[in-house]
């Protein structure tokens, strides 16, 4: 997929339908979910360089998602009734189209939920990593100054120590 714009044009050059816009959003969110899971693996392995590459890729994916969502909004604006997506789907006269739109929308909602869960776990992993790093730095600085260790370790560092013991 070179460009979101190219993906939204069919062979005759016409703008595709709401179903096509939703399908593209689903594809992009599947890719975002895969990226979030890769990021999780990298966070567990504690490697920084692959994490930076994943984050750069995610940034590009987010731009594509924004473009696809703008196109979805353009498709909806052609419907002069300005109905919410769920209502618009309910009013579809063609049962096959209605079923396809409902399936795409349900899949998109499940993807949103899964991405949210993975991102929350990634956030926890990052927080634990930062907590551990702060503890280690506190230990190093406490030992480097050569004074009484208990005086140099802050209350936070003591709490971090309990967390990782």
């Amino acid at each position: 997929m070179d460009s979101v714009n190219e993906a939204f044009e069919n062979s005759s050059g016409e703008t595709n339908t709401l179903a096509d816009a939703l399908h593209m959003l689903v594809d992009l969110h599947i890719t975002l979910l895969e990226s979030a899971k890769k990021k999780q693996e990298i966070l567990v392995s504690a490697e920084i360089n692959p994490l930076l590459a994943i984050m750069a890729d995610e940034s590009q994916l987010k731009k594509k998602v924004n473009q696809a969502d703008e196109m979805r909004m353009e498709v909806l604006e052609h419907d002069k009734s300005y109905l919410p997506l769920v209502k618009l789907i309910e009013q579809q006269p063609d049962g096959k189209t209605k079923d396809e739109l409902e399936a795409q929308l349900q899949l998109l909602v499940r993807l949103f939920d899964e991405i949210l869960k993975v991102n929350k776990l990634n956030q926890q992993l990052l927080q634990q990593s930062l907590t551990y790093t702060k503890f280690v730095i506190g230990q190093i600085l406490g030992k480097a100054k050569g004074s009484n260790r208990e005086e140099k370790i802050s209350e936070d560092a003591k709490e971090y120590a309990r967390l990782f013991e």
Side-chain angles (χ1 to χ4, degrees), residues 33-43 54:
L33 179 59
E34 291 168 355
S35 177
K37 288 179 179 180
K38 284 180 191 174
K39 189 174 9 174
Q40 190 174 72
E41 292 171 9
I42 292 168
L43 287 170
I54 292 285

Side-chain angles (χ1 to χ4, degrees), residues 33 47 67 106 110:
L33 179 59
E47 295 182 40
Q67 289 175 337
Q106 289 172 0
R110 285 194 307 269

Side-chain angles (χ1 to χ4, degrees), residues 25 28-29 32 61-70:
L25 282 168
L28 288 168
H29 281 85
L32 273 175
L61 279 170
K62 288 176 185 177
K63 287 179 185 176
K64 288 181 181 181
V65 167
N66 287 338
Q67 289 175 337
D69 197 48
E70 287 174 15

